[in-house]
Amino acid sequence: MEENSKRIVIVGGGLVGALCAYYFGKRGYRIDLYEYREDIRRSKSPRGRSINLSLSNRGRLALRDVGLEEEVLKSAVPMVGRRVHFQNGKVQSILYDEFTNQCIYSVGRNFLNKFLLTAIESLPNVLLHFDCKLIDVNLKTDELTFYRCSSQDYLRVTGDLIIGADGAFSCLRRSLQSTPLFDCSQTYIDHGYIELRISPEQSHLMKPNHLHIWPRGSMMLIALPNIDKSWTVTLFMPLSEFDRLVYKEMVLEFFKQVFPDVIPLIGTDQLVNDVIRTKPSVLVSIKCSKLHYRDKFLIVGDAAHAIVPFYGQGMNAGFEDCTVLNNLLDKYSEDFGRVLEEFTRLRVSDAHAIADLAMYNYLEMRDLVTRPSYYLKKWFDKQMHRVVEDKWQPLYYSVTFTHTKYEVCLQQRDWQSKVLKRSLLLFGIVALSFSALTFINIT
């Protein structure tokens, strides 16, 4: 690692900010990472949301590039497919990859964040600053102002490059929105979520190495495995439905009607307590028209493209930001101006595409997966992929197990849908014609 005199300031010590700091640190830059919360490794209670993360090929590549993949996978649980629990009691497994037998990995958010922060500390040119909340961005002087709650004072810093990885409600992004031609849309969906838990003692009731899904039309419940044999359960449904679950009787009646087989998995008392005491979290999607300003400011991860969690690609897309950024630094000999412009050109269209795909996958997981047409399409995808592997990749496969641009994945889905509709129409015409000819011959 060669020492570099340039200073990089990274705002946000979450997953993407931490990995980004490690990437730049490995390149020899002087890194200052600022996080507004306390050090998660020294916190007595977990912070923020803890939805388990699905680590797939894009995220794995980012970790592999800096030599961290192997250690992360040691604390992750492989998932080979979905385990669908229908309302009639039927259960069915659907493999993620029937072609090359690849899998995705369930990994705990807090574990991964702690791991990345510890990895950063091994680099002598990286400094971590906790309890520092960004409160002002001066785009004229390139100066950031942080407030340190513990000492109740202010810290003013600048750098050769300032990267915002400070989440969906990014302070840095809000400042960039005041610059010319920087458009940003924020869309909430009317669904929220709460987290529940299946204890290790009940794990024998769950088929291992699967993501379990209970699809119910307008709502769904999912369960992801943890390394300690417990399962993290997440209930997604309209916020209006959560508003109804205020008493024990209401909660039990709801689960008896909608998710009856979940009650013994979690336990009646634990289920009621967790549902009543937990306020549902909201889900938001962020789309930006630019991801940089001049050669000085850049946003990545959720700050640049927050998406709903239904494709398991939020973290993977953020980690892929780091891969793309690192490759561009190599390509343009660390010319920040050219790197940032090209980063925006490459990632904006992909960010918009995966945001749309994530919304589509929620519909698929909670509703379409219960319909015969879903399995017909799966069968058609499978046959076409076997016949013309290079030209036909199922959508989930291309998003999860390849590094195809998200934008191209979306375009392929639209093209494949047209082919499927035309094929079914042609099949119907042929079948009708054959029936007609048979009838004529008989008569």
Side-chain angles (χ1 to χ4, degrees):
M1 181 176 66
E2 297 182 5
E3 186 175 350
N4 194 311
S5 61
K6 290 185 178 180
R7 183 186 182 194
I8 311 297
V9 174
I10 297 177
V11 184
L15 298 174
V16 177
L19 184 60
C20 189
Y22 196 77
Y23 261 89
F24 274 93
K26 294 281 281 187
R27 298 184 73 94
Y29 291 100
R30 293 185 296 124
I31 311 296
D32 283 282
L33 184 147
Y34 295 87
E35 166 60 42
Y36 86 88
R37 294 167 292 195
E38 65 179 333
D39 188 342
I40 188 175
R41 296 167 298 172
R42 294 165 178 76
S43 176
K44 293 182 180 180
S45 58
R47 71 186 189 197
R49 61 178 182 164
S50 60
I51 287 181
N52 280 47
L53 303 165
S54 298
L55 178 64
S56 56
N57 284 27
R58 298 172 196 267
R60 290 179 61 185
L61 175 62
L63 293 169
R64 189 182 314 136
D65 279 351
V66 287
L68 299 178
E69 180 193 21
E70 186 176 344
E71 284 300 312
V72 169
L73 292 185
K74 288 180 181 178
S75 296
V77 181
M79 298 184 294
V80 298
R82 297 171 177 173
R83 183 77 168 166
V84 183
H85 300 252
F86 298 93
Q87 196 156 10
N88 61 7
K90 180 183 176 182
V91 182
Q92 181 174 354
S93 292
I94 304 173
L95 293 178
Y96 285 132
D97 176 19
E98 298 182 71
F99 313 109
T100 56
N101 297 318
Q102 297 181 80
C103 65
I104 61 177
Y105 289 83
S106 172
V107 59
R109 177 184 299 273
N110 287 328
F111 154 75
L112 186 54
N113 206 169
K114 292 176 182 178
F115 173 82
L116 291 173
L117 291 174
T118 300
I120 293 171
E121 283 191 330
S122 68
L123 302 177
N125 51 321
V126 179
L127 294 178
L128 304 181
H129 308 269
F130 295 99
D131 190 35
C132 292
K133 183 177 181 179
L134 180 63
I135 60 172
D136 185 63
V137 180
N138 190 321
L139 298 176
K140 293 181 179 179
T141 64
D142 303 332
E143 186 177 73
L144 307 182
T145 302
F146 293 92
Y147 176 68
R148 292 187 291 197
C149 300
S150 58
S151 55
Q152 297 186 335
D153 63 350
Y154 296 91
L155 184 64
R156 291 176 174 82
V157 302
T158 188
D160 295 286
L161 177 63
I162 297 169
I163 300 176
D166 47 340
F169 303 102
S170 167
C171 179
L172 184 57
R173 186 188 67 240
R174 286 200 303 271
S175 297
L176 297 186
Q177 286 176 238
S178 66
T179 63
L181 304 180
F182 194 108
D183 296 325
C184 180
S185 67
Q186 173 179 290
T187 305
Y188 286 96
I189 65 172
D190 62 357
H191 288 58
Y193 69 89
I194 62 172
E195 292 183 0
L196 307 167
R197 183 175 180 270
I198 298 173
S199 69
E201 291 73 25
Q202 300 298 105
S203 64
H204 65 283
L205 300 174
M206 300 283 285
K207 187 175 180 63
N209 301 113
H210 282 72
L211 186 155
H212 289 248
I213 305 175
W214 288 257
R216 297 296 184 266
S218 64
M219 62 190 71
M220 73 172 181
L221 188 144
I222 65 172
L224 278 78
N226 297 310
I227 198 71
D228 67 353
K229 305 298 183 182
S230 67
W231 294 74
T232 298
V233 180
T234 310
L235 171 61
F236 298 95
M237 66 180 182
L239 292 168
S240 58
E241 293 291 335
F242 282 113
D243 292 340
R244 297 173 49 243
L245 305 181
V246 292
Y247 299 112
K248 176 179 179 180
E249 294 76 14
M250 295 177 176
V251 174
L252 289 178
E253 182 62 25
F254 170 79
F255 273 84
K256 286 178 181 178
Q257 289 184 4
V258 184
F259 304 108
D261 53 335
V262 174
I263 298 175
L265 293 174
I266 298 177
T268 301
D269 293 339
Q270 188 68 49
L271 176 63
V272 170
N273 289 337
D274 287 347
V275 171
I276 292 177
R277 293 167 54 186
T278 306
K279 181 180 178 180
S281 298
V282 296
L283 296 165
V284 65
S285 181
I286 303 288
K287 291 182 178 180
C288 298
S289 63
K290 292 178 64 177
L291 305 180
H292 78 286
Y293 178 59
R294 304 196 334 263
D295 62 348
K296 187 69 64 171
F297 295 92
L298 177 70
I299 52 175
V300 295
D302 282 355
H305 45 70
I307 62 175
V308 294
F310 306 120
Y311 224 119
Q313 286 296 305
M315 174 191 65
N316 291 287
F319 281 7
E320 190 173 56
D321 285 347
C322 299
T323 305
V324 172
L325 187 56
N326 189 59
N327 292 340
L328 291 175
L329 287 167
D330 287 337
K331 181 177 181 179
Y332 295 112
S333 303
E334 305 187 347
D335 180 339
F336 289 163
R338 298 182 68 187
V339 167
L340 269 54
E341 285 186 7
E342 184 68 1
F343 184 86
T344 281
R345 189 188 70 81
L346 291 173
R347 296 304 281 170
V348 164
S349 57
D350 274 352
H352 292 185
I354 191 57
D356 293 339
L357 286 170
M359 289 302 303
Y360 168 79
N361 207 46
Y362 184 35
L363 175 62
E364 177 178 297
M365 292 174 71
R366 65 181 168 85
D367 186 22
L368 300 184
V369 74
T370 65
R371 302 185 183 188
S373 57
Y374 171 81
Y375 295 93
L376 174 61
K377 185 179 184 305
K378 290 279 291 184
W379 177 86
F380 189 83
D381 276 342
K382 184 177 179 179
Q383 304 311 314
M384 291 296 291
H385 184 71
R386 284 177 171 170
V387 174
V388 283
E389 180 178 346
D390 294 337
K391 297 185 181 299
W392 190 285
Q393 291 183 336
L395 176 62
Y396 189 88
Y397 180 91
S398 63
V399 169
T400 307
F401 298 119
T402 77
H403 303 287
T404 304
K405 283 175 61 63
Y406 289 126
E407 180 185 24
V408 175
C409 294
L410 183 59
Q411 292 169 350
Q412 287 178 345
R413 183 203 68 174
D414 294 341
W415 171 72
Q416 289 171 357
S417 295
K418 292 179 181 178
V419 172
L420 176 59
K421 289 178 181 178
R422 291 171 181 172
S423 298
L424 290 175
L425 178 62
L426 178 61
F427 177 79
I429 293 173
V430 171
L432 184 62
S433 301
F434 180 78
S435 299
L437 288 173
T438 302
F439 177 77
I440 292 172
N441 291 332
I442 292 176
T443 56

